[in-house]
Amino acid sequence: MRKKILDMLYNNSRISYEDMSVMLDIPKSRLESEIAAMENEGVICGYPTMINWEKTDCEKVSAVIEVKVAPQRGLGFDKIAERIYRFDEVESVSLMSGGYDLSVTIEGKSMKEVASFVHEKLAPLESVISTATHFVLKKYKEHGVTLVDEKKTEGRMKITP
Amino acid sequence: MRDPLSKLIQTIPPSGIRKYFDIVSEMEDAISLGVGEPDFDTPWHIREEGIYSLEQGRTFYTSNAGLKELKTEICKYLKRTQNIDYDTEEVVVTVGGSEGIDIALRAMLDYGDEVLIPQPSYVSYEPCTLLAGGTPVIIELKEENEFRLTPEELKAAITDKTKILILPFPNNPTGAIMERKDLEAIAEIVIEHDLFVISDEIYSELTYKSQHVSVASIDGMWERTVLINGFSKAYAMTGWRLGYVAAPSVILKQMLKIHQFAIMCAPTTSQYAAVEALKKGNKDVEMMRDCYDKRRRFLLNEFEKMGIDCFTPYGAFYAFPSIKKFGMTSDEFAEKLLREEKVAVVPGTAFGACGEGFLRISYAYSIDDLKIALGRIADFIKKISKK
């Protein structure tokens, strides 16, 4: 049941309890308590809105930074990851397999702001061995949603047998 | 000048949907719940396979019966989903399920043979029967039986001229299904009276109660059944025009002759895409079925709130609500709804006279679209109830 609820919220977190209850065939009270439980347990961590910033006047720059770090004895990567993810500028941090260790995404107002974060805050951290910053030029798809404008017209005829 | 037309064709009325279609097309701002095809695009990996086949220059005819690889996948699919055994020689790939219906009737009927057609049902069974020289005999299905075909109704319609029974389940336009126990009762009578069945199972993947059961899987029915299915509804591939027929070779061989002379072979690009659909499309089918099911529940709940009576459909993507209590015919209701609220639905009568008093409402639309359309229908109901 949780999977069903989560799938639905993942696609549209603003859906009403009433619609959800009908569509999933789960009583509304049950649904509410289940969602509340998942919020408490940290299964549901928030309900942010997907925004295509490129369509607004707001200047936004994002970058993906590959970070190589020296893991610390007994703490592995967690300690250094924490030191990085606590910065407000940091959008996401993941531990990666392969050529580098941490993938850090940063959002800033300008390229300069991102650059200064990297060389003033990130690179000087003791365990950080190296960084490679990749600026995002264009986002095509995020969270399963296509961000570029597709001319989507109703291709179907209005009445068919 | 002489009459250029055959007498037969002139006796066949055009599809009842046609005249309605013309009114709707004039109204640009009309929103429609009248579409008989999925709203999903064909999944990208299937389209991509079609594109790849074109890039590879696979632009030639295939053998008449279809690509061997595709027929093999069809056999595996029928075994996997329905537990029916067909050999690749017992499958012909057709131009949609519609071609299958046509060539089956033409291969099996002699002049005067009677074909039992349960209605409301898809629009082509009756004209195709007539064109094949047969005599259509309509069985009127009833709402109180959830529009299932009952053994009593079948028995009452059989004469010594009856040869074929058409089984259109899951059903367009009612959304009715036939479960195993229903089919077993029908099969007994079919065998007793030595009839054949053309089973149009194009909506087989879209059931919401129990998994679809094919009549061909019932004891003693395999040799009496022409099974018709296709890719349009399950994989959202209507425009690719691809279906198939599976039947015992004694019937299929003759059908293949007609297919060979009239069609040559089904579209090659579509056949390559369909191989991918059968191999890797299962999760897409599940996703779409799940979406339809949610919309189905949503739609039925809205009807209930509006006070519209509707039996619970468990198949296809249609609901067939009754509008009898509003004192209008299906045609009047549909036309008034279109003119006043700009919502297009199809009158039940387009699917047979016994569809009178009902509307076909498709839920192959997004929830957002359904909400807008149902909001307008609710306004309409309020308006006409006041009078």
Side-chain angles (χ1 to χ4, degrees):
Chain A
M1 179 171 73
R2 283 193 164 191
K3 171 84 167 56
K4 280 195 202 167
I5 299 172
L6 290 172
D7 280 343
M8 204 153 216
L9 286 173
Y10 185 86
N11 288 317
N12 178 12
S13 62
R14 294 187 68 191
I15 188 167
S16 71
Y17 283 136
E18 198 191 351
D19 284 355
M20 225 171 150
S21 153
V22 170
M23 284 191 252
L24 296 179
D25 200 16
I26 300 171
K28 207 172 141 202
S29 55
R30 182 78 206 279
L31 196 63
E32 281 173 4
S33 65
E34 201 61 39
I35 290 174
M38 286 195 282
E39 285 169 355
N40 278 332
E41 291 166 31
V43 175
I44 295 173
C45 311
Y47 300 91
T49 302
M50 275 195 65
I51 296 166
N52 188 354
W53 290 104
E54 280 180 36
K55 290 199 160 181
T56 69
D57 299 333
C58 308
E59 283 293 319
K60 286 254 179 189
V61 176
S62 45
V64 180
I65 306 163
E66 299 172 0
V67 185
K68 283 185 187 164
V69 299
Q72 289 163 285
R73 185 168 185 151
L75 297 168
F77 292 97
D78 294 352
K79 190 72 193 162
I80 179 67
E82 185 189 338
R83 293 206 58 176
I84 296 171
Y85 68 64
R86 288 201 177 279
F87 286 109
D88 289 338
E89 296 89 334
V90 172
E91 180 74 17
S92 74
V93 178
S94 314
L95 180 63
M96 310 297 287
S97 65
Y100 57 96
D101 305 307
L102 296 173
S103 169
V104 178
T105 57
I106 306 280
E107 284 217 335
K109 283 197 191 71
S110 64
M111 218 143 137
K112 204 169 147 191
E113 195 182 286
V114 173
S116 71
F117 173 80
V118 174
H119 65 78
E120 283 169 22
K121 307 284 191 210
L122 191 60
L125 286 174
E126 216 174 290
S127 325
V128 169
I129 300 165
S130 73
T131 63
T133 305
H134 308 275
F135 284 98
V136 173
L137 301 180
K138 186 174 180 181
K139 276 186 188 169
Y140 292 95
K141 188 178 182 182
E142 205 169 52
H143 199 81
V145 177
T146 309
L147 299 177
V148 288
D149 283 327
E150 280 177 336
K151 280 200 189 96
K152 183 82 187 168
T153 50
E154 171 73 64
R156 295 184 295 173
M157 296 190 294
K158 281 191 174 145
I159 300 276
T160 45
Chain B
M1 199 165 66
R2 309 202 279 174
D3 187 350
L5 300 171
S6 89
K7 289 187 184 63
L8 176 59
I9 194 66
Q10 293 179 78
T11 63
I12 297 175
S15 166
I17 269 183
R18 189 68 225 178
K19 68 164 199 229
Y20 201 67
F21 176 77
D22 294 337
I23 312 176
V24 179
S25 333
E26 287 164 22
M27 303 177 68
E28 279 191 6
D29 48 349
I31 47 176
S32 175
L33 298 181
V35 172
E37 61 178 323
D39 57 316
F40 298 98
D41 292 333
T42 307
W44 175 248
H45 66 105
I46 298 172
R47 282 189 273 163
E48 210 273 337
E49 205 58 41
I51 295 167
Y52 181 70
S53 81
L54 288 173
E55 281 176 350
Q56 294 294 300
R58 292 174 189 156
T59 55
F60 304 99
Y61 296 130
T62 67
S63 65
N64 295 131
L67 286 172
K68 181 82 193 280
E69 195 188 355
L70 177 56
K71 290 193 294 171
T72 306
E73 287 303 323
I74 291 169
C75 292
K76 282 199 227 162
Y77 170 85
L78 291 172
K79 179 72 186 163
R80 181 170 78 227
T81 57
Q82 313 292 329
N83 197 28
I84 325 175
D85 290 294
Y86 286 105
D87 189 79
T88 51
E89 298 306 305
E90 290 157 342
V91 172
V92 170
V93 181
T94 56
V95 180
S98 346
E99 189 211 332
I101 295 162
D102 182 36
I103 61 174
L105 288 165
R106 285 204 267 167
M108 295 168 79
L109 289 177
D110 278 318
Y111 182 79
D113 286 344
E114 290 181 355
V115 179
L116 302 180
I117 304 173
Q119 283 184 349
S121 61
Y122 184 63
V123 296
S124 83
Y125 309 124
E126 208 176 332
C128 285
T129 298
L130 288 166
L131 287 169
T135 306
V137 175
I138 306 303
I139 301 177
E140 302 196 336
L141 302 181
K142 307 237 160 32
E143 189 187 21
E144 64 253 35
N145 302 324
E146 298 183 317
F147 292 105
R148 291 167 201 240
L149 174 64
T150 66
E152 295 73 30
E153 289 166 336
L154 175 59
K155 268 189 223 157
I158 293 173
T159 69
D160 50 10
K161 289 193 182 136
T162 308
K163 184 163 189 190
I164 294 173
L165 165 67
I166 292 184
L167 273 184
F169 297 96
N171 183 271
N172 171 15
T174 63
I177 56 168
M178 292 278 278
E179 291 173 271
R180 179 171 290 278
K181 60 171 183 359
D182 304 315
L183 290 170
E184 279 169 352
I186 296 300
E188 202 178 304
I189 300 165
V190 166
I191 294 165
E192 187 191 324
H193 291 267
D194 195 16
L195 309 180
F196 295 92
V197 167
I198 297 178
S199 185
D200 182 353
E201 303 178 20
I202 193 75
Y203 291 96
S204 64
E205 285 287 1
L206 304 178
T207 59
Y208 314 106
K209 188 182 186 185
S210 47
Q211 219 197 338
H212 172 74
V213 176
S214 171
V215 69
S217 70
I218 309 282
D219 275 350
M221 284 305 295
W222 185 93
E223 48 273 61
R224 296 181 174 276
T225 303
V226 175
L227 187 161
I228 290 168
N229 208 326
F231 298 87
S232 295
K233 318 294 173 170
Y235 301 96
M237 293 179 71
T238 45
W240 299 75
R241 304 310 306 125
L242 207 68
Y244 55 87
V245 177
S249 36
V250 56
I251 305 174
L252 200 75
K253 255 190 211 159
Q254 304 306 322
M255 291 173 62
L256 183 58
K257 277 203 298 209
I258 307 171
H259 173 78
Q260 174 179 0
F261 295 131
I263 301 290
M264 184 76 103
C265 70
T268 303
T269 312
S270 305
Q271 292 193 52
Y272 280 104
V275 171
E276 170 72 12
L278 287 176
K279 278 186 172 165
K280 307 227 175 85
N282 199 35
K283 64 176 192 318
D284 304 299
V285 176
E286 269 170 35
M287 182 278 288
M288 290 189 266
R289 176 169 48 228
D290 188 50
C291 283
Y292 292 132
D293 194 16
K294 285 173 182 155
R295 299 163 181 183
R296 183 182 67 93
R297 292 207 194 95
F298 178 77
L299 184 69
L300 292 173
N301 186 59
E302 292 296 307
F303 284 157
E304 203 183 315
K305 286 199 283 189
M306 285 180 224
I308 295 179
D309 305 322
C310 186
F311 92 102
T312 307
Y314 289 109
F317 37 62
Y318 309 104
F320 205 59
S322 163
I323 45 124
K324 286 175 183 161
K325 67 176 176 194
F326 301 108
M328 277 184 252
T329 65
S330 300
D331 259 332
E332 286 165 357
F333 190 100
E335 197 166 333
K336 211 162 154 58
L337 177 64
L338 179 61
R339 301 235 184 254
E340 291 183 15
E341 298 292 335
K342 298 193 163 45
V343 179
V345 298
V346 183
T349 41
F351 306 94
C354 60
E356 184 55 84
F358 298 91
L359 302 173
R360 186 191 75 175
I361 297 203
S362 161
Y363 50 88
Y365 295 91
S366 71
I367 288 285
D368 291 343
D369 288 346
L370 284 177
K371 272 190 176 167
I372 299 169
L374 290 167
R376 292 192 193 180
I377 294 177
D379 291 344
F380 182 71
I381 298 287
K382 266 184 220 151
K383 225 172 10 180
I384 59 173
S385 302
K386 263 183 208 158
K387 281 175 190 166

